[in-house]
Amino acid sequence: MSDYKVIVYGNGLQAVFAACKAASQITSGKVLLVVPDTTGKLGGIVTVGGQNYWDQEGTARADFQQKGSFYYTFSDYLFDKNGNKVSDYAGKGYSTDTLAQKFATMVGKRTNIEVMYRTDICDFATTGSPYRITSVTLKGIERNSSGYIVWKNETGVVKTGDIFVDASEEGRLARMANTSVTVGRYDWPWSENGKQLLDGADSTGRQQAATLMFKIKGVVPPAAPPSGTDRIVDANGAEWDYFYRSQDASGSTYRSDGKCCESAGGRVGLVNPNGPIKTFNDSHSGRYAFKGYNMARDGYDSDEWWINTLMIFHVDGRANERDVGTKFYPNNVVGGCWNVDKSWAEANNLLNNTTERTAITECIRSLGPQFTNAELVIRNGKVVTGEVLYLRETVHMSDVSTDRAHGTEDTNYHITMTASKGAGQHENDKGTDFAYKPTAVGVIRYGTDMHPYKLEDMKVNGNYVWGTEYTRASSADARNPVYVPYNALTTRYVANLLLPGYAANMCSYAWAKARVAPNLAVLGDAAGVAAGYCAEYNASSSTKKWPYNLSSADITTLRSKLVSQDVKLTKM
């Protein structure tokens, strides 16, 4: 008998939700959640990473395509300035500590979930017939004085499991256990509409830019808008600078205090050919750049805002310093790329360099009149930053290992570029994703949010441009919801592995839509219920059900279980 029915690896909300959903499906035994960061808190990028601005289509709850765990998390935990619960709040921002505590409470209610914080996988074991993972070896991790995460000086402990869920950002199990991953945009065609998309370094595959979140204060939002509008358009920021107010559930009525809690924009500062942002971006050898920002208050009445604006290029999210010299360190890192630890540490050093700090403050203040007196939040002499990087892309599970190649985004993944781009808008629209509908275990909804891969992607004729059209022309629009077929969570090469994290079975183009947190929550719910379903069946039957070989009848049962947990499998 295994130590655990299900072992979930990761710390994003997709990992938390997968663990909770798996635990809800089993009647005996336990779920283990392995949390590979050093903070001792749950949530990963959306909490300790400081990315506290939901990328959500529609701000009113009635607009949500994503129901399930995300819907309730989004809607029901925020508090007003008096500490009163605001159950009808529908804004995009939140306090990261409050959300981390929400996750801890959520997990704590499940007495059959065990959490191992500050822990990572240093080895694993497999067996055949069918090929599957049987155990992971776990060891403690800590951050050293240089800012790198290292292994603790201790002996690893072996934990056996029946079903494994890789809900991580790096795809640690997915890329190691005899699987078929590709890296970043490796699956793109070499050219599109006469434009070359890949360069020689993409023999491996470059990944979207990462971000280090940091805090600012002293922002003064503009005056409250008339009741009935859902944003403020800053005349100095053209059509792209928004300051969102807290709303009720309908999204049409502002709360009486008119509090502004979220903002997105920065167009004027970015495109100014003589401004400090251009000077900063041009002077860092293509490693760092300011982009158009989004930001949110760290709590409803806080003066401190987490801001998403400082991009770090050439980061390999698969690579960790503690893995150097081991099988877990990738042997095909694109030349010039930094690993995650070096990227995090060097970006923090940048923010804490006196000269750079002055330049960065000038960049922030150039974003618009609301930022005239903005300043960095300093504690203990250092800028407050996210404890983990906001990684946007790492690896993608492909279908057939031997078919991996450039230009296979429409042929070798369970969510293709064409399906993502041409998806139908409504339930009965026969869009390019319609074939996924019968086995759908969720629906994701967002634009194709494809960030640049290198500094040159952001410029036209030497000046910086606004938006994502610079990366790939075909990424424009494609905002319709997409059915997620069950097999997008599996790999044919490891029968008992589910993939609701960054290594989900979809191409890079489709990933640009799926990668935002609300959509990852959809994947987490589905993988958790599937893991629990398989584990519970296997506990009472000699005929095993593994995630990879579920029958159509099993998937129908799984879909019913998801609907009973308020997961939405149809389009609005």
Side-chain angles (χ1 to χ4, degrees), residues 164-167 173-174 397 488-491 497-501 503-505 523 527:
F164 290 81
V165 180
D166 188 340
L173 284 172
M397 185 61 62
L489 303 176
T490 67
T491 169
L497 180 61
L498 284 153
L499 303 168
N505 199 319
L523 305 186

Side-chain angles (χ1 to χ4, degrees), residues 96-250:
T96 54
D97 281 345
T98 300
L99 184 56
Q101 183 56 54
K102 172 75 173 180
F103 287 150
T105 300
M106 184 187 303
V107 170
K109 289 180 179 179
R110 299 284 183 184
T111 57
N112 57 350
I113 297 180
E114 179 181 331
V115 183
M116 292 185 68
Y117 292 101
R118 304 181 181 91
T119 302
D120 207 347
I121 298 170
C122 62
D123 205 354
F124 62 92
T126 60
T127 191
S129 300
Y131 184 84
R132 62 191 188 278
I133 302 168
T134 56
S135 69
V136 288
T137 304
L138 305 174
K139 189 184 291 188
I141 54 176
E142 59 190 357
R143 195 181 293 280
N144 67 16
S145 59
S146 298
Y148 289 18
I149 296 176
V150 298
W151 297 109
K152 288 185 177 179
N153 185 21
E154 62 185 30
T155 302
V157 296
V158 177
K159 300 291 185 180
T160 58
D162 295 331
I163 308 296
F164 290 81
V165 180
D166 188 340
S168 69
E169 283 76 39
E170 68 164 288
R172 196 170 185 82
L173 284 172
R175 63 186 176 84
M176 295 302 299
N178 192 31
T179 58
S180 182
V181 297
T182 54
V183 181
R185 65 182 183 182
Y186 175 84
D187 59 19
W188 285 17
W190 277 95
S191 63
E192 180 179 77
N193 300 326
K195 176 184 177 182
Q196 182 174 320
L197 296 179
L198 303 179
D199 53 41
D202 282 300
S203 57
T204 294
R206 203 174 291 276
Q207 301 157 51
Q208 291 182 47
T211 285
L212 180 66
M213 301 290 298
F214 59 90
K215 277 188 170 184
I216 62 173
K217 62 182 181 179
V219 178
V220 181
S227 177
T229 57
D230 63 356
R231 67 191 181 201
I232 294 173
V233 181
D234 184 343
N236 292 289
E239 69 274 21
W240 289 105
D241 286 14
Y242 306 137
F243 284 81
Y244 294 86
R245 306 278 163 180
S246 56
Q247 304 161 18
D248 68 8
S250 70

Side-chain angles (χ1 to χ4, degrees), residues 180-325:
S180 182
V181 297
T182 54
V183 181
R185 65 182 183 182
Y186 175 84
D187 59 19
W188 285 17
W190 277 95
S191 63
E192 180 179 77
N193 300 326
K195 176 184 177 182
Q196 182 174 320
L197 296 179
L198 303 179
D199 53 41
D202 282 300
S203 57
T204 294
R206 203 174 291 276
Q207 301 157 51
Q208 291 182 47
T211 285
L212 180 66
M213 301 290 298
F214 59 90
K215 277 188 170 184
I216 62 173
K217 62 182 181 179
V219 178
V220 181
S227 177
T229 57
D230 63 356
R231 67 191 181 201
I232 294 173
V233 181
D234 184 343
N236 292 289
E239 69 274 21
W240 289 105
D241 286 14
Y242 306 137
F243 284 81
Y244 294 86
R245 306 278 163 180
S246 56
Q247 304 161 18
D248 68 8
S250 70
S252 62
T253 304
Y254 288 92
R255 295 177 56 80
S256 59
D257 55 18
K259 191 76 169 184
C260 174
C261 293
E262 310 89 31
S263 181
R267 180 182 182 276
V268 163
L270 179 65
V271 304
N272 184 351
N274 301 306
I277 289 179
K278 177 173 171 54
T279 300
F280 178 92
N281 290 1
D282 286 347
S283 63
H284 286 85
S285 303
R287 180 66 65 178
Y288 303 106
F290 273 81
K291 71 175 187 70
Y293 74 88
N294 58 52
M295 66 179 190
R297 291 185 191 269
D298 189 24
Y300 184 79
D301 204 39
S302 175
D303 183 44
E304 296 183 354
W305 303 65
W306 285 107
I307 187 166
N308 174 6
T309 187
L310 179 63
M311 289 195 296
I312 313 168
F313 292 100
H314 316 310
V315 179
D316 194 322
R318 305 171 297 164
N320 301 291
E321 187 71 18
R322 60 188 173 279
D323 292 330
V324 171

Side-chain angles (χ1 to χ4, degrees), residues 239-495:
E239 69 274 21
W240 289 105
D241 286 14
Y242 306 137
F243 284 81
Y244 294 86
R245 306 278 163 180
S246 56
Q247 304 161 18
D248 68 8
S250 70
S252 62
T253 304
Y254 288 92
R255 295 177 56 80
S256 59
D257 55 18
K259 191 76 169 184
C260 174
C261 293
E262 310 89 31
S263 181
R267 180 182 182 276
V268 163
L270 179 65
V271 304
N272 184 351
N274 301 306
I277 289 179
K278 177 173 171 54
T279 300
F280 178 92
N281 290 1
D282 286 347
S283 63
H284 286 85
S285 303
R287 180 66 65 178
Y288 303 106
F290 273 81
K291 71 175 187 70
Y293 74 88
N294 58 52
M295 66 179 190
R297 291 185 191 269
D298 189 24
Y300 184 79
D301 204 39
S302 175
D303 183 44
E304 296 183 354
W305 303 65
W306 285 107
I307 187 166
N308 174 6
T309 187
L310 179 63
M311 289 195 296
I312 313 168
F313 292 100
H314 316 310
V315 179
D316 194 322
R318 305 171 297 164
N320 301 291
E321 187 71 18
R322 60 188 173 279
D323 292 330
V324 171
T326 76
K327 63 184 178 183
F328 284 99
Y329 200 87
N331 60 10
N332 58 351
V333 175
V334 173
C337 284
W338 288 350
N339 64 33
V340 172
D341 294 285
K342 182 174 178 64
S343 301
W344 185 90
E346 292 296 334
N348 271 274
N349 290 340
L350 177 86
L351 284 162
N352 290 302
N353 175 283
T354 302
T355 301
E356 296 284 11
R357 189 182 287 180
T358 299
I360 289 168
T361 300
E362 291 176 354
C363 290
I364 296 295
R365 291 178 174 177
S366 76
L367 293 173
Q370 288 75 33
F371 296 86
T372 300
N373 297 310
E375 55 185 296
L376 302 171
V377 175
I378 312 292
R379 291 201 182 95
N380 300 318
K382 293 188 176 182
V383 177
V384 177
T385 65
E387 288 289 330
V388 298
L389 283 183
Y390 176 15
L391 297 174
R392 291 185 175 85
E393 185 175 30
T394 51
V395 298
H396 313 292
M397 185 61 62
S398 68
D399 185 22
V400 179
S401 177
T402 54
D403 289 348
R404 289 177 290 181
H406 301 307
T408 58
E409 60 187 359
D410 264 338
T411 59
N412 200 26
Y413 301 85
H414 288 309
I415 302 182
T416 66
M417 187 277 282
T418 294
S420 177
K421 183 172 177 58
Q425 182 176 2
H426 302 295
E427 178 64 14
N428 295 318
D429 293 345
K430 291 190 176 181
T432 50
D433 66 331
F434 195 72
Y436 300 158
K437 181 179 178 179
T439 62
V441 290
V443 181
I444 58 176
R445 180 188 178 195
Y446 202 65
T448 305
D449 198 3
M450 192 178 293
H451 275 57
Y453 292 79
K454 50 188 178 180
L455 184 68
E456 289 74 16
D457 293 337
M458 298 178 63
K459 294 192 288 188
V460 174
N461 298 325
N463 291 320
Y464 292 91
V465 295
W466 178 262
T468 56
E469 71 281 355
Y470 45 70
T471 302
R472 185 174 174 181
S474 65
S475 67
D477 297 319
R479 307 193 73 84
N480 288 345
V482 177
Y483 295 113
V484 177
Y486 171 73
N487 59 10
L489 303 176
T490 67
T491 169
R492 68 173 64 208
Y493 298 103
V494 186

